[in-house]
Amino acid sequence: MTQASAVSSVDRRRHDREIIALALPAFGALVAEPLFVMADSAIVGHLGTAQLAGLGVASALLTTAVSVFVFLAYATTAAVARRVGAGDLQAAIRQGMDGIWLALMLGAAVIALTVPLAPALVELFGASPTAAPYATSYLRISAWGIPAMLAVLAATGVLRGLQDTRTPLYVALAGFVANAALNAGLVYGAGLGIDGSAWGTVIAQCGMASVYLGVVVRGARRHGASLRPDASGIRASAQAGVPLLVRTLSLRAILMIATAVAARLGDADIAAHQIILSLWSLLAFALDAIAIAGQAIIGRYLGADDSRGAREACRRMVQWGLAVGVFLGLLVIVTRPLFLPLFTSDSVVKDAALPALLMVALSQPVCGVVFVLDGVLMGAGDGPYLAGAMLVTLVVFAPVALLVPVFGGGLTAVWAAMTLMMTVRMLTLWLRTRSGRWIVTGATR
């Protein structure tokens, strides 16, 4: 073995250890998040169909509201990681506090809009007359927990930037247990019904936010970082988040278009689509965990002025993403006949889903590369390019998807359009990483 190959092997093992150490806990924390809604559904479901339907509408609204602000985690991770790489932990935590203050301000604004507009929002989502009162009540109560939810996003970004994904995992698991216990106690023990579920979620989210803030405050005191809001720092956090907000909204638009097209194909197709979309989201958690590791690692290397390390880490993470994508694709192919009966016994729905699932399986290697490169460019703070690339992807996807009902192909064609969407994303992200323009070193971009 030559000296160069030996060094390369050592570098690969080092990158592998970093990726695994960050990605595995991140995956656990990501999987824990949807368990909140599942626990609420299981508990509220025994109250009645109207209550469960109301919870479904309110949860969809809350999830949409919170997911729009996921940039609080992404932008904070990249900014904090850069300063960690530069060796300035005081500035790293100061940057993190600015992100948390921005989260609290945005949360207050969302409360001010959501509480009075709750009935109109529930009506807009098409809740039935029997479910609407429950949805409105749940939404109004749960809105008070939104600042805590957004603070959790920002604080999670702080810890990821500090190369710590274990603490978010522990907090997420503890939050899930607390949420389930509180909901059961308040819904049935205290007899509060669906309102008890909402209050249980608010209390659990506030508890999680308190734990995160305690960790960040201890770090700030240890390194002498100020906890006071800084107008310029908050403004910088907001400016970094705007392109990522555009990216997120474009992606949400793509998913909404796909769902709307599937709904036009008929009841069996939209039912199959929802099953496949739930699986696609689960697979995305595994790939997103590598992307989160990419955000933290790339930001740290660039902050340390190590462009070579950033390139090598990017290359290794792409290999990981591709390998995991191939594995997930094969897993979907093998388990297709076993997966569908868990959700439906309707043969028509199964017939619609089976070929579409094959398309999902074939797209997983592409998805693996996309998620990793997305994380790399986020870690580099390359938000404006990500926003532009996603808008281009939306422009390509929308007409193709909307023509599916015209030219036929059914649900398989819808997911072929989704595969095209991921392929366009891969090409735009690959061109950017290949150009090297994302490599901007230093404590700030």
Short mmCIF file of all heavy atoms in Angstrom, two decimals, residues 1-13:
data_model
loop_
_atom_site.label_atom_id
_atom_site.label_comp_id
_atom_site.label_asym_id
_atom_site.label_seq_id
_atom_site.Cartn_x
_atom_site.Cartn_y
_atom_site.Cartn_z
N MET A 1 0.86 -1.20 0.00
CA MET A 1 0.00 0.00 0.00
C MET A 1 0.89 1.25 0.00
O MET A 1 1.81 1.37 0.79
CB MET A 1 -0.89 0.00 1.24
CG MET A 1 -1.82 1.20 1.33
SD MET A 1 -2.84 1.20 2.83
CE MET A 1 -3.91 -0.20 2.50
N THR A 2 0.63 2.20 -0.91
CA THR A 2 1.42 3.42 -0.97
C THR A 2 1.04 4.34 0.19
O THR A 2 -0.01 4.18 0.83
CB THR A 2 1.17 4.15 -2.29
OG1 THR A 2 -0.20 4.56 -2.34
CG2 THR A 2 1.45 3.23 -3.48
N GLN A 3 1.92 5.32 0.45
CA GLN A 3 1.65 6.27 1.54
C GLN A 3 0.39 7.07 1.26
O GLN A 3 -0.44 7.30 2.16
CB GLN A 3 2.84 7.22 1.70
CG GLN A 3 2.66 8.19 2.87
CD GLN A 3 3.88 9.07 3.05
OE1 GLN A 3 4.84 8.97 2.32
NE2 GLN A 3 3.82 9.95 4.04
N ALA A 4 0.17 7.46 -0.02
CA ALA A 4 -1.02 8.25 -0.36
C ALA A 4 -2.29 7.45 -0.12
O ALA A 4 -3.27 7.97 0.43
CB ALA A 4 -0.95 8.68 -1.84
N SER A 5 -2.29 6.17 -0.52
CA SER A 5 -3.49 5.35 -0.31
C SER A 5 -3.72 5.09 1.15
O SER A 5 -4.87 5.00 1.61
CB SER A 5 -3.39 4.04 -1.08
OG SER A 5 -2.30 3.26 -0.62
N ALA A 6 -2.62 4.95 1.93
CA ALA A 6 -2.76 4.74 3.37
C ALA A 6 -3.39 5.96 4.03
O ALA A 6 -4.29 5.84 4.87
CB ALA A 6 -1.40 4.44 4.00
N VAL A 7 -2.94 7.16 3.63
CA VAL A 7 -3.51 8.39 4.18
C VAL A 7 -4.98 8.51 3.79
O VAL A 7 -5.83 8.87 4.59
CB VAL A 7 -2.72 9.62 3.66
CG1 VAL A 7 -3.42 10.91 4.05
CG2 VAL A 7 -1.30 9.60 4.24
N SER A 8 -5.27 8.14 2.50
CA SER A 8 -6.64 8.21 2.04
C SER A 8 -7.53 7.27 2.85
O SER A 8 -8.66 7.61 3.19
CB SER A 8 -6.70 7.86 0.55
OG SER A 8 -8.02 7.86 0.09
N SER A 9 -7.01 6.09 3.15
CA SER A 9 -7.78 5.13 3.94
C SER A 9 -8.03 5.65 5.35
O SER A 9 -9.12 5.50 5.89
CB SER A 9 -7.01 3.80 4.00
OG SER A 9 -7.70 2.87 4.81
N VAL A 10 -7.02 6.29 5.93
CA VAL A 10 -7.18 6.88 7.26
C VAL A 10 -8.23 7.98 7.24
O VAL A 10 -9.08 8.07 8.13
CB VAL A 10 -5.83 7.43 7.77
CG1 VAL A 10 -6.03 8.26 9.05
CG2 VAL A 10 -4.85 6.29 8.05
N ASP A 11 -8.19 8.82 6.20
CA ASP A 11 -9.17 9.91 6.07
C ASP A 11 -10.59 9.35 5.94
O ASP A 11 -11.54 9.87 6.54
CB ASP A 11 -8.85 10.78 4.85
CG ASP A 11 -7.63 11.66 5.07
OD1 ASP A 11 -7.26 11.86 6.25
OD2 ASP A 11 -7.06 12.14 4.08
N ARG A 12 -10.73 8.29 5.13
CA ARG A 12 -12.06 7.70 4.95
C ARG A 12 -12.61 7.17 6.27
O ARG A 12 -13.78 7.36 6.59
CB ARG A 12 -12.02 6.58 3.91
CG ARG A 12 -12.00 7.07 2.48
CD ARG A 12 -12.39 5.96 1.51
NE ARG A 12 -11.46 4.83 1.61
CZ ARG A 12 -10.36 4.71 0.89
NH1 ARG A 12 -10.02 5.65 0.03
NH2 ARG A 12 -9.58 3.64 1.02
N ARG A 13 -11.74 6.48 7.03
CA ARG A 13 -12.19 5.95 8.32
C ARG A 13 -12.56 7.07 9.28
O ARG A 13 -13.54 6.96 10.02
CB ARG A 13 -11.11 5.06 8.94
CG ARG A 13 -10.94 3.71 8.24
CD ARG A 13 -10.18 2.74 9.12
NE ARG A 13 -8.82 3.20 9.38
CZ ARG A 13 -7.78 2.90 8.60
NH1 ARG A 13 -7.95 2.17 7.50
NH2 ARG A 13 -6.57 3.34 8.90
#
